[in-house]
Structure formats: C-alpha cells, structure tokens
Amino acid sequence: MVEATSCGGVVIFRGKILLLYKNYKNKYEGWVLPKGTVEEGEEHNETALREVKEESGATNPQIIKYVGKSQYTFNTPQNTVLKDVHWFLMMSDSYYSKPQREEYFCDSGYYKYHEAYHLLKFANEKQILEQAYNEYMELKKSNLWGNKKYY
C-alpha cells in the first residue's frame, strides 16, 4: 500500500459552488471538486489554492477555513493507493472559471447547493460539500462571510 496526500477546495461565490467535469478517455467521467497532489515543500493550504487556480481558473480564491479530510483507495497496476484529501472552504470573487484541459476537465461552473450535491460523482465529496456548505451557512448567518476581518 502506498500513501498519497491531496488538497482541494469547496469554492463558493454568491451561494453557488464551483464544480469541474472530468472526462478521461470515457473511463473517468463525472463532476468533481477541484483538488490535487501536494508538491514537495508545500503546505496543505498552498496546495489547495494552487490546485483550485490551476484546475478551474478561478480568480483570486481565498481560504476561509479548513473543512476536514476525506480518504479513499484506488488501484494502479503496481499498487493500492491510500489517498488522504484535505479540504478547505474557499471564497471566489466572481463566477469565472475555465476548466484545465491538460487535466481532462471539459466543463466547469457554479451550481446551487442541491444541484452540486446531486451532480457530484463521489460520496466522499458529497459529504465534504455538505460540511463546507453548513460552515458557509453558519458564517452567513453570523454576517461573517465576506468579512475580511474573519480570516
């Protein structure tokens, strides 16, 4: 078993969540949250911000808070990989997104919570979305969402 770590973001702008549509040779197909592998010397928050920018083209994403960790395994021809993904709640400053073609993303967009929840391919990402959106709603209720003093 090999261990790997990724980081990603639940990016929200005006109550809508950023999703990416991946299609790799019709084998890996579906809506996902932006995430990617931690590079040497990177902190988890730095990885999450870099991956959101690279994969989605989101402008000026900002981390609001750490949401939690998901875990899953997958098989490669050589090994079983145990993947830890650290997730951050993020805020964007516009609806702009441009999917990263090199990573086989062919569409992206901001969706209402219930749409996003049903579109997401993986149960662990649905769970993280739920946690992050609840955090977002709490911050909104307390008038802290978008308040620069909060971060």
Side-chain angles (χ1 to χ4, degrees):
M1 172 114 34
V2 177
E3 292 184 15
T5 304
S6 283
C7 298
V10 177
V11 183
I12 298 180
F13 180 67
R14 295 193 177 156
K16 293 189 174 180
I17 297 112
L18 175 63
L19 298 184
L20 298 166
Y21 191 84
K22 190 165 199 166
N23 187 352
Y24 178 68
K25 298 180 180 172
N26 294 323
K27 283 187 228 146
Y28 180 105
E29 191 175 2
W31 289 97
V32 295
L33 296 166
K35 70 175 185 299
T37 304
V38 177
E39 291 180 358
E40 199 175 322
E42 255 183 345
E43 297 292 328
H44 290 162
N45 60 334
E46 294 169 332
T47 300
L49 282 168
R50 177 180 54 76
E51 287 293 342
V52 164
K53 288 178 192 169
E54 286 176 5
E55 292 186 350
S56 73
T59 56
N60 198 27
Q62 294 176 17
I63 290 178
I64 306 303
K65 66 188 300 185
Y66 180 75
V67 177
K69 181 175 91 167
S70 62
Q71 205 172 52
Y72 62 95
T73 57
F74 62 92
N75 295 313
T76 66
Q78 301 79 22
N79 243 315
T80 297
V81 179
L82 173 64
K83 183 86 134 195
D84 283 341
V85 186
H86 295 274
W87 294 98
F88 294 85
L89 173 60
M90 296 185 189
M91 171 192 287
S92 185
D93 64 358
S94 78
Y95 285 124
Y96 178 81
S97 67
K98 183 176 186 245
Q100 185 184 27
R101 303 276 177 209
E102 303 80 50
E103 291 289 330
Y104 309 102
F105 293 112
C106 53
D107 198 1
S108 64
Y110 284 82
Y111 294 88
K112 291 177 184 170
Y113 172 76
H114 291 292
E115 294 170 330
Y117 187 87
H118 290 292
L119 285 171
L120 281 175
K121 178 178 175 124
F122 300 111
N124 60 354
E125 290 195 3
K126 289 180 185 219
Q127 198 176 356
I128 288 295
L129 172 62
E130 195 171 1
Q131 283 174 249
Y133 196 77
N134 286 338
E135 296 276 0
Y136 161 75
M137 292 304 287
E138 283 300 310
L139 290 171
K140 267 196 79 74
K141 207 163 42 174
S142 308
N143 282 324
L144 289 171
W145 184 258
N147 178 348
K148 297 290 185 219
K149 289 183 219 123
Y150 178 74
Y151 342 110

